[in-house]
Amino acid sequence: MQSWPIHEAKARLSELVKRAQKQPQELTSHGEPVAVVLSTEAYHRQQHAGESLVDFIRRSPLVAADELDLDRQPDLTRDLDLGAAPPRAGAPGGALV
């Protein structure tokens, strides 16, 4: 992908658009990427490439499940020393707070 500073892209817009027909063109402002110019065809391909979350869930084998248990397991958490400061005095169960 070719990168164009915005001031250069403005001055050479026709060339930028022609190149965008072949591959996406990146626009930068102060050296940082801020936008991408791409062909209409590439844009439409990307818009229709993914399915919606609703469609994904509807395809799930769990959609027909009579009872789906979404409750959290009541397991207790465990203390894990990651090199942090020792537990504060009086913290319940010695948990880090």
mmCIF file of all heavy atoms in Angstrom, residues 28-69:
data_model
loop_
_atom_site.group_PDB
_atom_site.id
_atom_site.type_symbol
_atom_site.label_atom_id
_atom_site.label_comp_id
_atom_site.label_asym_id
_atom_site.label_seq_id
_atom_site.Cartn_x
_atom_site.Cartn_y
_atom_site.Cartn_z
ATOM 1 N N THR A 28 -1.644 10.097 5.055
ATOM 2 C CA THR A 28 -1.021 10.390 6.341
ATOM 3 C C THR A 28 -1.100 11.876 6.654
ATOM 4 O O THR A 28 -1.163 12.715 5.763
ATOM 5 C CB THR A 28 0.464 9.961 6.352
ATOM 6 O OG1 THR A 28 1.170 10.703 5.362
ATOM 7 C CG2 THR A 28 0.634 8.472 6.108
ATOM 8 N N SER A 29 -1.112 12.176 7.937
ATOM 9 C CA SER A 29 -1.063 13.551 8.412
ATOM 10 C C SER A 29 0.017 13.605 9.482
ATOM 11 O O SER A 29 -0.044 12.857 10.463
ATOM 12 C CB SER A 29 -2.420 13.949 9.002
ATOM 13 O OG SER A 29 -2.375 15.257 9.510
ATOM 14 N N HIS A 30 1.002 14.418 9.249
ATOM 15 C CA HIS A 30 2.154 14.523 10.163
ATOM 16 C C HIS A 30 2.811 13.162 10.365
ATOM 17 O O HIS A 30 3.225 12.815 11.466
ATOM 18 C CB HIS A 30 1.741 15.129 11.498
ATOM 19 C CG HIS A 30 1.083 16.466 11.374
ATOM 20 N ND1 HIS A 30 1.764 17.602 11.030
ATOM 21 C CD2 HIS A 30 -0.222 16.838 11.518
ATOM 22 C CE1 HIS A 30 0.922 18.626 10.980
ATOM 23 N NE2 HIS A 30 -0.291 18.189 11.255
ATOM 24 N N GLY A 31 2.856 12.382 9.286
ATOM 25 C CA GLY A 31 3.517 11.077 9.334
ATOM 26 C C GLY A 31 2.691 9.948 9.922
ATOM 27 O O GLY A 31 3.127 8.803 9.922
ATOM 28 N N GLU A 32 1.494 10.242 10.390
ATOM 29 C CA GLU A 32 0.643 9.219 10.994
ATOM 30 C C GLU A 32 -0.481 8.835 10.033
ATOM 31 O O GLU A 32 -1.112 9.702 9.439
ATOM 32 C CB GLU A 32 0.019 9.736 12.299
ATOM 33 C CG GLU A 32 1.023 10.039 13.390
ATOM 34 C CD GLU A 32 1.737 8.793 13.874
ATOM 35 O OE1 GLU A 32 1.089 7.737 14.019
ATOM 36 O OE2 GLU A 32 2.957 8.877 14.100
ATOM 37 N N PRO A 33 -0.763 7.528 9.872
ATOM 38 C CA PRO A 33 -1.859 7.118 8.996
ATOM 39 C C PRO A 33 -3.201 7.626 9.528
ATOM 40 O O PRO A 33 -3.466 7.531 10.728
ATOM 41 C CB PRO A 33 -1.821 5.594 9.041
ATOM 42 C CG PRO A 33 -0.644 5.203 9.839
ATOM 43 C CD PRO A 33 -0.074 6.413 10.488
ATOM 44 N N VAL A 34 -4.008 8.210 8.628
ATOM 45 C CA VAL A 34 -5.304 8.750 9.058
ATOM 46 C C VAL A 34 -6.473 8.239 8.225
ATOM 47 O O VAL A 34 -7.616 8.303 8.670
ATOM 48 C CB VAL A 34 -5.316 10.298 9.048
ATOM 49 C CG1 VAL A 34 -4.365 10.847 10.102
ATOM 50 C CG2 VAL A 34 -4.984 10.851 7.678
ATOM 51 N N ALA A 35 -6.213 7.747 7.017
ATOM 52 C CA ALA A 35 -7.303 7.276 6.166
ATOM 53 C C ALA A 35 -6.750 6.381 5.067
ATOM 54 O O ALA A 35 -5.545 6.357 4.821
ATOM 55 C CB ALA A 35 -8.036 8.466 5.547
ATOM 56 N N VAL A 36 -7.666 5.652 4.430
ATOM 57 C CA VAL A 36 -7.304 4.807 3.300
ATOM 58 C C VAL A 36 -8.284 5.088 2.172
ATOM 59 O O VAL A 36 -9.492 5.160 2.394
ATOM 60 C CB VAL A 36 -7.345 3.313 3.682
ATOM 61 C CG1 VAL A 36 -7.116 2.418 2.476
ATOM 62 C CG2 VAL A 36 -6.332 3.009 4.770
ATOM 63 N N VAL A 37 -7.760 5.260 0.969
ATOM 64 C CA VAL A 37 -8.590 5.439 -0.219
ATOM 65 C C VAL A 37 -8.545 4.111 -0.974
ATOM 66 O O VAL A 37 -7.470 3.573 -1.231
ATOM 67 C CB VAL A 37 -8.057 6.574 -1.120
ATOM 68 C CG1 VAL A 37 -8.900 6.697 -2.384
ATOM 69 C CG2 VAL A 37 -8.023 7.891 -0.353
ATOM 70 N N LEU A 38 -9.735 3.573 -1.296
ATOM 71 C CA LEU A 38 -9.779 2.331 -2.040
ATOM 72 C C LEU A 38 -10.879 2.402 -3.088
ATOM 73 O O LEU A 38 -11.747 3.271 -3.028
ATOM 74 C CB LEU A 38 -9.973 1.127 -1.119
ATOM 75 C CG LEU A 38 -11.222 1.075 -0.266
ATOM 76 C CD1 LEU A 38 -11.630 -0.363 -0.075
ATOM 77 C CD2 LEU A 38 -10.911 1.667 1.096
ATOM 78 N N SER A 39 -10.829 1.488 -4.035
ATOM 79 C CA SER A 39 -11.807 1.482 -5.113
ATOM 80 C C SER A 39 -13.199 1.163 -4.560
ATOM 81 O O SER A 39 -13.346 0.550 -3.500
ATOM 82 C CB SER A 39 -11.426 0.444 -6.162
ATOM 83 O OG SER A 39 -11.579 -0.860 -5.628
ATOM 84 N N THR A 40 -14.208 1.574 -5.305
ATOM 85 C CA THR A 40 -15.583 1.279 -4.918
ATOM 86 C C THR A 40 -15.793 -0.229 -4.842
ATOM 87 O O THR A 40 -16.451 -0.731 -3.932
ATOM 88 C CB THR A 40 -16.568 1.900 -5.930
ATOM 89 O OG1 THR A 40 -16.313 3.293 -5.991
ATOM 90 C CG2 THR A 40 -17.996 1.677 -5.524
ATOM 91 N N GLU A 41 -15.215 -0.953 -5.789
ATOM 92 C CA GLU A 41 -15.338 -2.410 -5.804
ATOM 93 C C GLU A 41 -14.763 -3.033 -4.530
ATOM 94 O O GLU A 41 -15.388 -3.883 -3.894
ATOM 95 C CB GLU A 41 -14.618 -2.977 -7.033
ATOM 96 C CG GLU A 41 -14.691 -4.482 -7.137
ATOM 97 C CD GLU A 41 -13.883 -5.022 -8.308
ATOM 98 O OE1 GLU A 41 -13.596 -4.250 -9.249
ATOM 99 O OE2 GLU A 41 -13.543 -6.201 -8.266
ATOM 100 N N ALA A 42 -13.560 -2.597 -4.143
ATOM 101 C CA ALA A 42 -12.941 -3.119 -2.919
ATOM 102 C C ALA A 42 -13.776 -2.764 -1.687
ATOM 103 O O ALA A 42 -13.936 -3.575 -0.779
ATOM 104 C CB ALA A 42 -11.520 -2.575 -2.774
ATOM 105 N N TYR A 43 -14.318 -1.567 -1.665
ATOM 106 C CA TYR A 43 -15.157 -1.139 -0.548
ATOM 107 C C TYR A 43 -16.386 -2.041 -0.423
ATOM 108 O O TYR A 43 -16.706 -2.528 0.657
ATOM 109 C CB TYR A 43 -15.579 0.316 -0.747
ATOM 110 C CG TYR A 43 -16.598 0.784 0.254
ATOM 111 C CD1 TYR A 43 -16.233 1.095 1.554
ATOM 112 C CD2 TYR A 43 -17.943 0.899 -0.101
ATOM 113 C CE1 TYR A 43 -17.172 1.509 2.476
ATOM 114 C CE2 TYR A 43 -18.887 1.317 0.815
ATOM 115 C CZ TYR A 43 -18.497 1.628 2.104
ATOM 116 O OH TYR A 43 -19.435 2.031 3.006
ATOM 117 N N HIS A 44 -17.071 -2.286 -1.535
ATOM 118 C CA HIS A 44 -18.273 -3.128 -1.501
ATOM 119 C C HIS A 44 -17.940 -4.568 -1.111
ATOM 120 O O HIS A 44 -18.706 -5.196 -0.378
ATOM 121 C CB HIS A 44 -19.008 -3.081 -2.831
ATOM 122 C CG HIS A 44 -19.711 -1.780 -3.059
ATOM 123 N ND1 HIS A 44 -20.715 -1.309 -2.243
ATOM 124 C CD2 HIS A 44 -19.531 -0.832 -4.016
ATOM 125 C CE1 HIS A 44 -21.130 -0.136 -2.680
ATOM 126 N NE2 HIS A 44 -20.418 0.189 -3.749
ATOM 127 N N ARG A 45 -16.795 -5.073 -1.568
ATOM 128 C CA ARG A 45 -16.381 -6.429 -1.171
ATOM 129 C C ARG A 45 -16.219 -6.505 0.344
ATOM 130 O O ARG A 45 -16.649 -7.465 0.977
ATOM 131 C CB ARG A 45 -15.065 -6.799 -1.841
ATOM 132 C CG ARG A 45 -15.206 -7.471 -3.166
ATOM 133 C CD ARG A 45 -13.907 -8.172 -3.602
ATOM 134 N NE ARG A 45 -12.696 -7.404 -3.342
ATOM 135 C CZ ARG A 45 -12.092 -6.605 -4.215
ATOM 136 N NH1 ARG A 45 -12.601 -6.461 -5.417
ATOM 137 N NH2 ARG A 45 -10.991 -5.965 -3.893
ATOM 138 N N GLN A 46 -15.599 -5.495 0.929
ATOM 139 C CA GLN A 46 -15.373 -5.505 2.372
ATOM 140 C C GLN A 46 -16.670 -5.332 3.148
ATOM 141 O O GLN A 46 -16.839 -5.895 4.221
ATOM 142 C CB GLN A 46 -14.368 -4.432 2.770
ATOM 143 C CG GLN A 46 -12.973 -4.771 2.326
ATOM 144 C CD GLN A 46 -11.949 -3.760 2.794
ATOM 145 O OE1 GLN A 46 -12.276 -2.708 3.316
ATOM 146 N NE2 GLN A 46 -10.687 -4.075 2.594
ATOM 147 N N GLN A 47 -17.592 -4.552 2.607
ATOM 148 C CA GLN A 47 -18.864 -4.327 3.294
ATOM 149 C C GLN A 47 -19.691 -5.602 3.357
ATOM 150 O O GLN A 47 -20.425 -5.821 4.303
ATOM 151 C CB GLN A 47 -19.671 -3.227 2.603
ATOM 152 C CG GLN A 47 -19.088 -1.857 2.772
ATOM 153 C CD GLN A 47 -19.000 -1.452 4.226
ATOM 154 O OE1 GLN A 47 -19.979 -1.510 4.950
ATOM 155 N NE2 GLN A 47 -17.823 -1.092 4.668
ATOM 156 N N HIS A 48 -19.573 -6.444 2.352
ATOM 157 C CA HIS A 48 -20.393 -7.648 2.291
ATOM 158 C C HIS A 48 -19.626 -8.900 2.689
ATOM 159 O O HIS A 48 -20.170 -9.989 2.634
ATOM 160 C CB HIS A 48 -20.969 -7.806 0.885
ATOM 161 C CG HIS A 48 -21.847 -6.659 0.488
ATOM 162 N ND1 HIS A 48 -23.045 -6.399 1.088
ATOM 163 C CD2 HIS A 48 -21.662 -5.681 -0.429
ATOM 164 C CE1 HIS A 48 -23.579 -5.313 0.554
ATOM 165 N NE2 HIS A 48 -22.754 -4.851 -0.362
ATOM 166 N N ALA A 49 -18.391 -8.752 3.100
ATOM 167 C CA ALA A 49 -17.565 -9.916 3.420
ATOM 168 C C ALA A 49 -18.005 -10.593 4.710
ATOM 169 O O ALA A 49 -18.018 -11.812 4.805
ATOM 170 C CB ALA A 49 -16.103 -9.518 3.519
ATOM 171 N N GLY A 50 -18.360 -9.808 5.697
ATOM 172 C CA GLY A 50 -18.713 -10.385 6.988
ATOM 173 C C GLY A 50 -20.213 -10.473 7.169
ATOM 174 O O GLY A 50 -20.986 -9.813 6.488
ATOM 175 N N GLU A 51 -20.606 -11.333 8.064
ATOM 176 C CA GLU A 51 -22.023 -11.419 8.371
ATOM 177 C C GLU A 51 -22.297 -10.678 9.674
ATOM 178 O O GLU A 51 -21.386 -10.413 10.446
ATOM 179 C CB GLU A 51 -22.450 -12.877 8.485
ATOM 180 C CG GLU A 51 -21.781 -13.624 9.627
ATOM 181 C CD GLU A 51 -22.153 -15.087 9.666
ATOM 182 O OE1 GLU A 51 -23.285 -15.440 9.291
ATOM 183 O OE2 GLU A 51 -21.316 -15.885 10.071
ATOM 184 N N SER A 52 -23.533 -10.377 9.912
ATOM 185 C CA SER A 52 -23.877 -9.650 11.131
ATOM 186 C C SER A 52 -23.809 -10.599 12.323
ATOM 187 O O SER A 52 -23.867 -11.829 12.175
ATOM 188 C CB SER A 52 -25.287 -9.063 11.021
ATOM 189 O OG SER A 52 -26.250 -10.101 11.091
ATOM 190 N N LEU A 53 -23.716 -10.037 13.500
ATOM 191 C CA LEU A 53 -23.699 -10.837 14.721
ATOM 192 C C LEU A 53 -24.994 -11.626 14.857
ATOM 193 O O LEU A 53 -24.988 -12.789 15.260
ATOM 194 C CB LEU A 53 -23.482 -9.936 15.944
ATOM 195 C CG LEU A 53 -23.477 -10.628 17.297
ATOM 196 C CD1 LEU A 53 -22.386 -11.695 17.366
ATOM 197 C CD2 LEU A 53 -23.311 -9.628 18.414
ATOM 198 N N VAL A 54 -26.092 -11.019 14.488
ATOM 199 C CA VAL A 54 -27.393 -11.710 14.568
ATOM 200 C C VAL A 54 -27.379 -12.949 13.679
ATOM 201 O O VAL A 54 -27.801 -14.031 14.094
ATOM 202 C CB VAL A 54 -28.539 -10.750 14.165
ATOM 203 C CG1 VAL A 54 -29.854 -11.489 14.044
ATOM 204 C CG2 VAL A 54 -28.643 -9.615 15.171
ATOM 205 N N ASP A 55 -26.887 -12.825 12.446
ATOM 206 C CA ASP A 55 -26.819 -13.979 11.548
ATOM 207 C C ASP A 55 -25.906 -15.060 12.104
ATOM 208 O O ASP A 55 -26.208 -16.257 12.010
ATOM 209 C CB ASP A 55 -26.337 -13.559 10.161
ATOM 210 C CG ASP A 55 -27.341 -12.689 9.427
ATOM 211 O OD1 ASP A 55 -28.555 -12.776 9.755
ATOM 212 O OD2 ASP A 55 -26.921 -11.920 8.544
ATOM 213 N N PHE A 56 -24.785 -14.654 12.682
ATOM 214 C CA PHE A 56 -23.857 -15.610 13.276
ATOM 215 C C PHE A 56 -24.531 -16.394 14.405
ATOM 216 O O PHE A 56 -24.431 -17.616 14.475
ATOM 217 C CB PHE A 56 -22.618 -14.876 13.809
ATOM 218 C CG PHE A 56 -21.663 -15.762 14.546
ATOM 219 C CD1 PHE A 56 -20.806 -16.599 13.848
ATOM 220 C CD2 PHE A 56 -21.616 -15.763 15.932
ATOM 221 C CE1 PHE A 56 -19.919 -17.426 14.522
ATOM 222 C CE2 PHE A 56 -20.741 -16.575 16.616
ATOM 223 C CZ PHE A 56 -19.881 -17.417 15.908
ATOM 224 N N ILE A 57 -25.237 -15.697 15.267
ATOM 225 C CA ILE A 57 -25.909 -16.362 16.389
ATOM 226 C C ILE A 57 -27.022 -17.283 15.882
ATOM 227 O O ILE A 57 -27.204 -18.383 16.401
ATOM 228 C CB ILE A 57 -26.445 -15.320 17.393
ATOM 229 C CG1 ILE A 57 -25.265 -14.641 18.085
ATOM 230 C CG2 ILE A 57 -27.389 -15.951 18.400
ATOM 231 C CD1 ILE A 57 -25.624 -13.451 18.947
ATOM 232 N N ARG A 58 -27.746 -16.854 14.871
ATOM 233 C CA ARG A 58 -28.824 -17.686 14.316
ATOM 234 C C ARG A 58 -28.292 -18.978 13.706
ATOM 235 O O ARG A 58 -29.005 -19.973 13.648
ATOM 236 C CB ARG A 58 -29.599 -16.896 13.271
ATOM 237 C CG ARG A 58 -30.512 -15.878 13.885
ATOM 238 C CD ARG A 58 -31.323 -15.149 12.842
ATOM 239 N NE ARG A 58 -32.197 -14.181 13.497
ATOM 240 C CZ ARG A 58 -32.612 -13.063 12.941
ATOM 241 N NH1 ARG A 58 -32.262 -12.779 11.693
ATOM 242 N NH2 ARG A 58 -33.392 -12.240 13.593
ATOM 243 N N ARG A 59 -27.053 -18.984 13.232
ATOM 244 C CA ARG A 59 -26.453 -20.206 12.674
ATOM 245 C C ARG A 59 -25.897 -21.127 13.758
ATOM 246 O O ARG A 59 -25.526 -22.256 13.475
ATOM 247 C CB ARG A 59 -25.302 -19.848 11.724
ATOM 248 C CG ARG A 59 -25.726 -19.325 10.401
ATOM 249 C CD ARG A 59 -24.562 -19.199 9.414
ATOM 250 N NE ARG A 59 -23.382 -18.495 9.925
ATOM 251 C CZ ARG A 59 -22.257 -19.079 10.335
ATOM 252 N NH1 ARG A 59 -22.130 -20.377 10.306
ATOM 253 N NH2 ARG A 59 -21.249 -18.357 10.781
ATOM 254 N N SER A 60 -25.839 -20.668 14.986
ATOM 255 C CA SER A 60 -25.260 -21.443 16.071
ATOM 256 C C SER A 60 -26.058 -22.711 16.330
ATOM 257 O O SER A 60 -27.286 -22.700 16.314
ATOM 258 C CB SER A 60 -25.226 -20.601 17.348
ATOM 259 O OG SER A 60 -24.915 -21.410 18.455
ATOM 260 N N PRO A 61 -25.382 -23.834 16.606
ATOM 261 C CA PRO A 61 -26.111 -25.053 16.960
ATOM 262 C C PRO A 61 -26.847 -24.912 18.300
ATOM 263 O O PRO A 61 -27.748 -25.670 18.588
ATOM 264 C CB PRO A 61 -25.028 -26.128 17.021
ATOM 265 C CG PRO A 61 -23.740 -25.406 17.148
ATOM 266 C CD PRO A 61 -23.949 -24.033 16.557
ATOM 267 N N LEU A 62 -26.468 -23.920 19.077
ATOM 268 C CA LEU A 62 -27.107 -23.725 20.379
ATOM 269 C C LEU A 62 -28.430 -22.971 20.288
ATOM 270 O O LEU A 62 -29.163 -22.886 21.261
ATOM 271 C CB LEU A 62 -26.162 -22.968 21.321
ATOM 272 C CG LEU A 62 -24.842 -23.677 21.620
ATOM 273 C CD1 LEU A 62 -23.941 -22.783 22.458
ATOM 274 C CD2 LEU A 62 -25.082 -24.987 22.319
ATOM 275 N N VAL A 63 -28.758 -22.422 19.118
ATOM 276 C CA VAL A 63 -29.973 -21.628 18.989
ATOM 277 C C VAL A 63 -31.213 -22.482 19.247
ATOM 278 O O VAL A 63 -32.221 -21.982 19.738
ATOM 279 C CB VAL A 63 -30.034 -20.913 17.622
ATOM 280 C CG1 VAL A 63 -30.430 -21.850 16.505
ATOM 281 C CG2 VAL A 63 -30.960 -19.724 17.682
ATOM 282 N N ALA A 64 -31.139 -23.767 18.968
ATOM 283 C CA ALA A 64 -32.288 -24.657 19.173
ATOM 284 C C ALA A 64 -32.273 -25.323 20.548
ATOM 285 O O ALA A 64 -33.174 -26.096 20.865
ATOM 286 C CB ALA A 64 -32.319 -25.719 18.080
ATOM 287 N N ALA A 65 -31.269 -25.041 21.355
ATOM 288 C CA ALA A 65 -31.178 -25.673 22.674
ATOM 289 C C ALA A 65 -32.338 -25.229 23.553
ATOM 290 O O ALA A 65 -32.696 -24.055 23.591
ATOM 291 C CB ALA A 65 -29.851 -25.318 23.329
ATOM 292 N N ASP A 66 -32.959 -26.214 24.232
ATOM 293 C CA ASP A 66 -34.078 -25.900 25.119
ATOM 294 C C ASP A 66 -33.616 -25.109 26.330
ATOM 295 O O ASP A 66 -34.217 -24.122 26.712
ATOM 296 C CB ASP A 66 -34.782 -27.174 25.572
ATOM 297 C CG ASP A 66 -35.522 -27.849 24.424
ATOM 298 O OD1 ASP A 66 -35.913 -27.142 23.477
ATOM 299 O OD2 ASP A 66 -35.705 -29.081 24.481
ATOM 300 N N GLU A 67 -32.550 -25.590 26.934
ATOM 301 C CA GLU A 67 -32.034 -24.915 28.118
ATOM 302 C C GLU A 67 -30.546 -24.680 27.931
ATOM 303 O O GLU A 67 -29.777 -25.600 27.755
ATOM 304 C CB GLU A 67 -32.269 -25.765 29.367
ATOM 305 C CG GLU A 67 -33.714 -25.825 29.789
ATOM 306 C CD GLU A 67 -33.874 -26.534 31.127
ATOM 307 O OE1 GLU A 67 -33.008 -26.353 31.998
ATOM 308 O OE2 GLU A 67 -34.858 -27.251 31.270
ATOM 309 N N LEU A 68 -30.170 -23.454 27.963
ATOM 310 C CA LEU A 68 -28.777 -23.074 27.839
ATOM 311 C C LEU A 68 -28.364 -22.440 29.155
ATOM 312 O O LEU A 68 -28.905 -21.411 29.547
ATOM 313 C CB LEU A 68 -28.595 -22.096 26.680
ATOM 314 C CG LEU A 68 -27.178 -21.703 26.310
ATOM 315 C CD1 LEU A 68 -26.349 -22.940 25.957
ATOM 316 C CD2 LEU A 68 -27.181 -20.737 25.156
ATOM 317 N N ASP A 69 -27.442 -23.077 29.870
ATOM 318 C CA ASP A 69 -27.025 -22.604 31.188
ATOM 319 C C ASP A 69 -25.960 -21.522 31.031
ATOM 320 O O ASP A 69 -24.840 -21.796 30.616
ATOM 321 C CB ASP A 69 -26.483 -23.763 32.011
ATOM 322 C CG ASP A 69 -26.089 -23.360 33.418
ATOM 323 O OD1 ASP A 69 -26.480 -22.252 33.861
ATOM 324 O OD2 ASP A 69 -25.383 -24.139 34.084
#
